[in-house]
Structures are given as structure tokens and as C-alpha cells.
Amino acid sequence: MKLRSSLAVTLGALALTLSMSTSALAATGEFHYKFRDDSGQELSVTLPDPRSGGCINLYGVDSDDLPPGYAPHNQTDARATVYEGTNCEGNEWTLRPHGRPASDRLLVRSVRFEDQ
């Protein structure tokens, strides 16, 4: 079960990465967040070198029918604004480049990285 869930997260993150335009500017580094799957297992997702400027709906938490993600950690070289809602809507918080992990209480569904 654990391997299947980990594989699903990895494939989802890969699909998200591949769907991003290669000509878009990208933040250098990694962005992490956690979420719980249908069975309640905590999973962690890493977005490597995420694109800048556009809104990214986060894998596994990109619907109001799903519990939100939490504990975002911005290890990129760009400011990341995380949003409580999808499509970069709702309450927002800015995370510094190469900052510390945010609290598990910070709920997220989407993120936007500052243009470099």
C-alpha cells in the first residue's frame, strides 16, 4: 500500500512537471508540501525547479473535495506565495526563498513563484 501511494505521488509530480512549459522561467530548487491520501497516510510531494509566474494547483489537493495540503517548504531561489484555494485564490501567505518549513497548520492548494 505504501509503495503504491508513493508511486502515485511520484507519477503525479512527474506529470505536473512535464505539463509545465519548458520555455517558462523556473525557480531553482525544490518546493515541498504534505497531504493525506484517501487512506489517511501522510505523503510528501516535491516540485523540482517549479515554473515561475503562473499558478500551480498542487497535486493531490487540487479540489475542494479533497483535504488541503499542509506544511509547505520553499527551498527555491524565488519567493513562493501559497494559497488556501485552488487557482491561486483565497487566503495567501508568502514564503521566503530557502526558508524554513511552515507549520502543519498552514493549509495549501496552490502556489505561485515570483518571476526571476
Side-chain angles (χ1 to χ4, degrees):
M1 178 71 122
K2 193 172 194 174
L3 177 62
R4 182 172 41 157
S5 296
S6 296
L7 180 60
V9 169
T10 301
L11 291 175
L14 178 60
L16 179 64
T17 301
L18 293 176
S19 69
M20 296 178 194
S21 171
T22 56
S23 64
L25 299 175
T28 302
E30 296 178 336
F31 178 81
H32 309 273
Y33 65 97
K34 299 175 185 177
F35 74 100
R36 294 204 178 271
D37 67 8
D38 292 341
S39 67
Q41 180 180 357
E42 182 178 80
L43 301 173
S44 181
V45 176
T46 298
L47 301 179
D49 299 330
R51 67 180 161 87
S52 297
C55 183
I56 300 170
N57 286 324
L58 299 173
Y59 170 79
V61 298
D62 56 353
S63 166
D64 290 333
D65 297 332
L66 301 168
Y70 54 93
H73 185 191
N74 183 21
Q75 291 184 303
T76 72
D77 61 354
R79 286 193 181 276
T81 303
V82 295
Y83 298 84
E84 195 171 17
T86 58
N87 303 313
C88 295
E89 295 178 352
N91 293 327
E92 63 184 66
W93 298 268
T94 300
L95 304 177
R96 288 182 281 159
H98 303 290
R100 292 188 174 133
S103 163
D104 285 359
R105 293 177 297 182
L106 181 53
L107 305 179
V108 297
R109 291 190 188 276
S110 56
V111 62
R112 182 185 320 267
F113 294 89
E114 183 178 279
D115 284 329
Q116 296 292 302

